[in-house]
Structure formats: structure tokens, C-alpha cells
Amino acid sequence: MIDPDHLRKEIHEKASSISTLEELFQLKSAVLGRKGKLTHYLRSLGQLPIEDRKRLGSQLNALKEELESLFIQKERELEEKKIKESLTKERVDVTLPGIKFHFGGRHPLIQVWEEIEDAFLSLGFDIYESPEVEWERYNFGALNIPPDHPARDMWDTFYITEKMLLRTHTSPGQIRCMEEQKPPIKAIMPGLCYRHEAVDATHMDVFLQIEGLVVDRDISFADLKGTLELFVSLIFGPDRKTMFVPSYFPFTEPSAELLIFWEGSKGNSSHGGEWLEVLGCGQVHPQVLRNVGIDPRVYSGFAFGLGVERITMLKYNIPEIRLFMENDLRFLEQFK
Ligand code: FA5
């Protein structure tokens, strides 16, 4: 028996007790879906006598419209309810402890490396890059260090082949730079160096050097000294005690070393109050100029090679070079 009033009452009752969207969709399909009750009633109208069909037909269609808008209305209510519930759940509790972020910092050697580069850039130097894997000829031969020269023992290194090695200093960059460029040259060449070295508090087997090279007419030892003194004052301030001592390098003549007074870290008396060698330097040897086709009767120059670790140790009173490589956060975090 088709009874629209009974169906209306039944659906309104059910709809009023629904509390979730899922329940609403189930009810909707049970009434208006393909196998729904109202759909079934509408389909079966055709079997009724014409009079009943007309009357019930208009009643059922009106009921269909009424229920459709009831479901739309109910769906809106339930969606609003759902949003309200999730907003209440998502409320920020400002009393909870925050999440800690760990920010990294740049390694002290990189910081000082860039500071040194900036100092030389401000003095008009360019940066020239040269390779870490180097021909033996550039690391030694062209720098006036023939195969039987005792300096090769001092600069023993890791060989890749008989003729190819990991550079022991940045000085091969001088040769590459002079082969590529004509004077005037005013460049620094930073990078890693490798040595077969007995590691101790001031020596590593991998370390950073910055080479400097100036070649022009009338470049003298006074220019070298003045430039390096200016450099020290830029990095350490005007009052840092320095000392030039005579030295020997096969590719410079005369040669010298620059020492800076090392107060050492407080409480470490074994390293307090010494002079620490930070660089080797000198006037470019005439034979080196000839090796790259520059006439030493017209041009002269100076060069230096400084150790970035040593400068950093002096700047921050670090008594031990191995600390740079240990990756101990207690050490590294002091430079953030
Ligand atoms: C040289 O390497 C020369 N090429 C420097 C040079 C360049 C002289 C241009 C003349 C002209 P030496 O071996 O002394 O020289 O090293 C230069 C600097 O590199 C040292 O003063 C020191 O600061 C740093 N250095 C050298 N060996 C080590 C090491 N094993 N660990 C850390 N730093 C080092």
C-alpha cells in the first residue's frame, strides 16, 4: 500500500536522529536511490488505476521535492557541525613546550678563509683557482725543485701515478696563473693541500693554504713586507706582534717566513707565548719566471703561501689543529 504521509513521517523521524554525514547518505540512498523506497513507489504507480495514479503521483512528486530539500538542509547542518568539531580539536595549546630547531653554522675554517679572501680582495687581488690533483712538474719541477732536490722529502705526498700527485702546497697555482696570464698579475689561490706528514698540534696531513702572487715591473721585497703587514692588521687589528725571519724556498729568492705571536689558549701554558709560523714567502725566483716565459730583466714579483688553520688558531686562541677535523659540536658551536 502506498502511503505518502506515512513515508513522510518515517523519513522526518529518521532524519532528526541522524548525527553524521555517513548516516545521512545512507538514508538518502534508502529513500531516493535506485533501490530506494520512494523510487520504488514512483515506479509502481504505473500499475495503479488512472485515478489513484494521478492523485498519488502528484503527492509522491511533492514528497520527493520536500525530502530532497530536507536532505540538502540536513547535509549543510552536519557539515557545519563537522567543521566546528575539527576547529575545537585543532585549538593551539600555547602552554605546550615548543619544538626545538637545530641550526647549523659555518665551520670556523671556512669563516676565516672567507675573511682572508675579503682582506686580499680589498687590497686589489683577484682569486685564481687551480687543481688539487696536480702534475709533478707543476708541484715541483717548474718551481725549481728538480727530482733529486732535498725539498721533495720535506714535501712528500700521496702519488696517484708516478707523474701525478695530490699537491703539497698551492704554489703550483703560481705556475698555472703565470702560464695563462701576462703581467701585471695580482692574485690569490686558495685550496686544500696534502702531505705525508707526522700529524701533531700544528700539523695536519690535509690543510688549507692561500697562495698569493704579484708580478709586475719593479716589485720589491718591501712591497711583499708592506702587503703582508697590511694583511695582518686587517685580520688581527693593528697591534699584533709579527716577525719576519729568513728562510729558504727553491722558488723564491730571497725567502722568508712570517711568524705571529701566539698567546695560546688560556690555561694551556704549554702553548702560551710562542711564535707561530703562518706563511712562507719571498721574491719570485728569476728561474721560475723564465720557466713560464716571463723575462726577469723586465718583471719581478713576490709570492707567499699561508696556512688558514694557523691563522684561525691564532685568531681564536685554539691550541690544537686536530680540533678542526673532529666535528665535535661542543667545539664547532662556539663559532656560530
Ligand atoms: C710552502 O708550502 C710554500 N709553498 C710557501 C711559499 C709560497 C713560499 C710562495 C714562498 C712563496 P710551507 O711548507 O712552509 O711552505 O707551508 C706554508 C704554510 O702552510 C705554513 O707556514 C703553515 O701555515 C701551513 N702549513 C704547512 N704545512 C702544514 C701542515 N702540515 N698543517 C697545517 N698547516 C701547514
Side-chain angles (χ1 to χ4, degrees), residues 190-304:
L192 283 173
C193 303
Y194 303 83
R195 285 185 197 179
H196 180 68
E197 185 86 80
V199 170
D200 63 21
T202 52
H203 293 83
M204 284 296 289
D205 42 12
V206 183
F207 58 96
L208 272 168
Q209 272 192 352
I210 295 185
E211 191 83 6
L213 174 68
V214 175
V215 183
D216 203 348
R217 289 169 198 267
D218 302 324
I219 297 292
S220 70
F221 200 86
D223 295 315
L224 166 64
K225 244 186 126 192
T227 304
L228 290 178
E229 274 169 3
L230 203 51
F231 159 71
V232 171
S233 70
L234 285 172
I235 297 292
F236 295 100
D239 303 322
R240 193 80 194 209
K241 278 194 270 178
T242 58
M243 175 160 67
F244 279 90
V245 294
S247 184
Y248 169 77
F249 297 101
F251 37 94
T252 46
E253 182 60 36
S255 303
E257 276 166 8
L258 175 68
L259 278 54
I260 297 185
F261 196 65
W262 190 18
E263 281 143 22
S265 70
K266 287 184 183 68
N268 188 339
S269 57
S270 66
H271 284 108
E274 290 174 29
W275 291 92
L276 185 64
E277 178 208 318
V278 293
L279 62 84
C281 61
Q283 282 205 268
V284 181
H285 197 291
Q287 185 55 45
V288 173
L289 293 177
R290 274 192 289 271
N291 290 347
V292 291
I294 294 176
D295 187 346
R297 288 166 303 180
V298 182
Y299 292 105
S300 56
F302 69 74
F304 57 86

Side-chain angles (χ1 to χ4, degrees), residues 106-116 208 210 231 235-236 240 260 262 276-278 306-321 323-324 331-332 335:
R106 282 172 339 132
H107 194 280
L109 286 179
I110 304 294
Q111 295 182 31
V112 172
W113 177 359
E114 286 183 5
E115 237 179 272
I116 297 170
L208 272 168
I210 295 185
F231 159 71
I235 297 292
F236 295 100
R240 193 80 194 209
I260 297 185
W262 190 18
L276 185 64
E277 178 208 318
V278 293
L306 63 83
V308 177
E309 287 81 358
R310 302 263 179 102
I311 302 278
T312 313
M313 289 165 81
L314 287 160
K315 199 170 156 71
Y316 294 111
N317 272 339
I318 299 165
E320 170 57 66
I321 199 168
L323 286 169
F324 293 124
F331 172 70
L332 294 174
F335 301 94

